[in-house]
Amino acid sequence: MFLFRRGAARVTPAQARRRTTDGDAVLLDVRELAEWNAGHAPGAVHAPLSRLLTGTALPTAAQDRPLVVICRSGHRSQRAAGLLTGRGAEAVDVKGGMNAWVTAGLPVVDERGSSGRIA
């Protein structure tokens, strides 16, 4: 009999949007600064995976709250959600990341609040 460790749960972009607009969860974007500046979900909080891996604390707005973690395609967010879950946070990851977010027709803004793009 083989036992497999299960990673953090995954949600669709629509589920992520509901959890972060109707609930108390925070959408945590773990992409790097240039990617964030080009386009991110409105209301998201930025915490690059590279900084989380060094032990940097979550931004205040994301502390002690359920986290919905997103990146560009879902790979970094999956890793970040696992890392954060290991630290005791309640975290899920968005399947397909910001690429799936855009495909689902959900909004993206740049650092100025104008229409953004996924880089």
Side-chain angles (χ1 to χ4, degrees):
M1 175 179 213
F2 293 96
L3 297 176
F4 295 95
R5 183 170 177 241
R6 194 167 173 211
R10 305 193 86 192
V11 297
T12 67
Q15 291 168 324
R17 175 84 172 191
R18 278 193 301 278
R19 287 183 182 204
T20 58
T21 56
D22 298 341
D24 65 340
V26 172
L27 186 64
L28 186 71
D29 192 319
V30 297
R31 295 174 301 143
E32 296 303 316
L33 185 59
E35 295 171 289
W36 166 266
N37 286 342
H40 56 272
V45 174
H46 186 226
L49 176 60
S50 60
R51 300 205 61 214
L52 293 174
L53 289 171
T54 65
T56 301
L58 287 170
T60 304
Q63 292 178 6
D64 301 318
R65 295 181 62 191
L67 304 170
V68 177
V69 186
I70 196 165
C71 66
R72 182 178 49 203
S73 65
H75 297 290
R76 286 176 284 179
S77 58
Q78 211 173 2
R79 185 172 179 196
L83 173 77
L84 294 165
T85 299
R87 292 182 186 171
E90 181 184 332
V92 298
D93 136 73
V94 180
K95 290 186 279 187
M98 288 299 296
N99 289 332
W101 183 274
V102 168
T103 299
L106 298 172
V108 176
V109 296
D110 65 14
E111 79 274 13
R112 295 178 309 277
S114 301
S115 182
R117 63 179 178 77
I118 304 307

